[in-house]
């Protein structure tokens, strides 16, 4: 990874404008929200989103929340519904994320959605975050700004302690509030609680005038990490393939003879950025898929994790 000199930017108009410029260039900027500091990257730029995973050292690809400046901005990327409108009016800006179907022409990298056809969107309430998002004028993907497996950061110092030299800048606006993550509500069918968080369930139910679907206590699906939906191709997938066999179509990595290549240069960021789009395209061929070996270091670990899940036997 290229070492950065991680700048500290004050949350002044100049600092915010500089942070927005860095994001538009595809670089990473940590910024405060009312929950925790987020590690922001341009959600339309696959390489920027891959860089988020690399900087965090995340061993798997989970869908990320796209942060936007307003409900109007959110509607450029997702299919808006009546229920979305009511929840947005009641709780935005604030710690509520809404999962909605992606809209045609959305332009969001499939690494943000982990290949799903839905997107989680949120308008954060923190003034510096809102000013930054307005200046960027685009969706910013932002998981918490800590190395994977470490505690979420609530100050710029926490961010620096974990990510110094791995990101371009930290927009510093002092400590953030609670550190409780956003509540995530799915609105792709019956409204469902996907993750409890900063906005209480009963307040959401009061606004919708109905109960949210959710898994009852003790249900194994409530365990963190298991609520995530994942895109899996229909076709069988064979990993660590030296060459295709039979009718297989080869998804290559590096300088190999193949039908489609994640990265001819063997660049793991590029491969991560291409991963879900390649799987979708290969799936449309209805042929079994073979995948070249991917080195298991850096982003390769996350790519391999995702491929292993896609290759695992399924119930349906
Ligand atoms: P974090 O960025 O750590 O706050 O976590 C984001 C969470 O949002 C992930 O754990 C996902 O489970 C959830 N999420 C994001 N996008 C989607 C989506 N399209 N469908 C379902 N869950 C999502
Ligand atoms: Mg986190």
């Amino acid at each position: 990874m290229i070492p950065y000199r991680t700048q500290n930017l004050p949350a002044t108009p100049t600092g915010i404008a500089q942070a927005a410029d860095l994001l538009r260039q595809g670089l990473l900027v940590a910024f405060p929200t009312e929950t925790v500091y987020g590690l922001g990257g341009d959600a339309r730029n696959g390489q920027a989103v891959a860089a988020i995973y690399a900087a965090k050292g995340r061993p798997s690809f989970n869908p990320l929340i796209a942060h936007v400046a307003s409900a109007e901005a959110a509607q450029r990327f997702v299919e808006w519904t009546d229920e979305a409108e009511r929840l947005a009016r009641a709780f935005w800006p604030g710690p509520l994320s809404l999962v909605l179907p992606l809209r045609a022409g959305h332009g969001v990298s499939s690494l943000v959605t982990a290949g799903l056809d839905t997107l989680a969107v949120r308008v954060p309430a923190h003034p510096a975050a809102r000013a930054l998002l307005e200046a960027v004028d685009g969706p910013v993907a932002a998981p918490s700004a800590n190395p994977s497996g470490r505690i979420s950061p609530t100050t710029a110092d926490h961010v620096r302690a974990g990510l110094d030299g791995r990101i371009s800048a930290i927009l510093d606006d002092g400590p953030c509030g609670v550190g409780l993550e956003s509540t995530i509500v799915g609105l792709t069918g019956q409204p469902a609680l996907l993750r409890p968080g900063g906005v209480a369930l009963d307040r959401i139910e009061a606004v919708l005038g109905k109960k949210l679907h959710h898994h009852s206590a003790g249900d194994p699906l409530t365990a963190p990490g298991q609520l995530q939906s994942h895109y899996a191709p229909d076709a069988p997938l064979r990993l660590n393939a030296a060459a295709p066999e039979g009718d297989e179509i080869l998804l290559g990595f590096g300088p190999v003879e193949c039908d489609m290549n994640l990265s001819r240069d063997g660049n793991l960021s590029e491969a991560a950025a291409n991963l879900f789009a390649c799987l979708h395209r290969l799936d449309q061929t209805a042929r079994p898929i073979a995948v070249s070996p991917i080195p298991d270091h850096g982003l390769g670990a996350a790519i391999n994790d995702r491929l292993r899940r896609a290759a695992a036997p399924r119930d349906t």
Side-chain angles (χ1 to χ4, degrees):
M1 160 166 318
I2 311 150
Y4 286 95
R5 198 183 63 79
T6 302
Q7 301 179 63
N8 222 50
L9 297 172
T12 57
T14 313
I16 288 167
Q18 280 177 278
D21 275 347
L22 293 170
L23 285 170
R24 277 194 296 262
Q25 288 168 44
L27 298 169
L28 303 186
V29 177
F31 64 96
T33 78
E34 69 275 27
T35 61
V36 299
Y37 273 75
L39 177 52
D42 183 343
R44 295 162 299 193
N45 180 335
Q47 294 262 9
V49 183
I52 292 177
Y53 283 95
K56 283 181 68 82
R58 246 202 202 186
S60 64
F61 294 129
N62 302 319
L64 302 177
I65 296 167
H67 295 72
V68 290
S70 64
E72 292 68 42
Q75 288 164 53
R76 286 192 244 145
F77 307 102
V78 290
E79 299 279 359
W80 207 238
T81 66
D82 232 35
E83 284 164 337
E85 178 67 22
R86 274 152 66 195
L87 292 178
R89 277 180 190 276
F91 302 114
W92 280 0
L96 175 70
S97 298
L98 300 177
V99 174
L100 289 154
L102 276 165
R103 196 176 149 163
H106 56 82
V108 171
S109 159
S110 60
L111 203 49
V112 172
T113 61
L116 300 173
D117 53 10
T118 56
L119 178 69
V121 285
R122 172 163 105 87
V123 178
H126 195 291
R130 296 195 73 197
L132 177 65
L133 292 168
E134 260 159 39
V136 172
D137 192 26
V140 173
S144 56
N146 53 287
S148 181
R150 302 261 297 274
I151 299 164
S152 291
T154 53
T155 67
D157 283 348
H158 293 163
V159 178
R160 188 171 286 283
L163 297 176
D164 196 19
R166 294 169 162 246
I167 63 177
S168 287
I170 304 168
L171 186 65
D172 184 352
D173 202 17
C176 13
V178 203
L180 197 57
E181 295 164 297
S182 63
T183 303
I184 306 179
V185 171
L187 292 176
T188 53
Q190 280 302 306
L193 180 69
L194 301 182
R195 177 178 78 186
V199 177
L201 178 64
D202 55 346
R203 293 179 65 205
I204 295 169
E205 291 180 337
V207 167
L208 290 177
K210 62 168 114 165
K211 293 270 176 215
L212 289 179
H213 278 247
H214 55 106
H215 303 282
S216 53
D219 187 321
L221 277 175
T222 51
Q226 291 192 292
L227 287 174
Q228 293 135 12
S229 333
H230 280 287
Y231 170 73
D234 288 332
L237 208 84
R238 187 168 65 86
L239 307 182
N240 295 312
E245 287 169 7
D247 194 30
E248 281 177 346
I249 190 162
L250 182 65
L251 177 58
F253 178 82
V256 292
E257 184 84 17
C258 60
D259 304 276
M260 197 178 286
N261 205 317
L262 286 167
S263 169
R264 208 160 278 289
D265 300 336
N267 176 324
L268 288 167
S269 297
E270 186 187 17
N274 287 334
L275 179 64
F276 292 105
C278 283
L279 288 178
H280 273 285
R281 266 188 286 145
L282 289 170
D283 206 15
Q284 280 158 18
T285 68
R287 283 166 59 189
I289 304 166
V291 190
S292 295
I294 315 280
D296 209 43
H297 58 79
L299 275 185
I303 295 171
N304 283 323
D305 166 84
R306 190 61 198 82
L307 286 171
R308 274 193 299 273
R309 293 190 211 209
R314 297 158 211 148
D315 303 334
T316 51

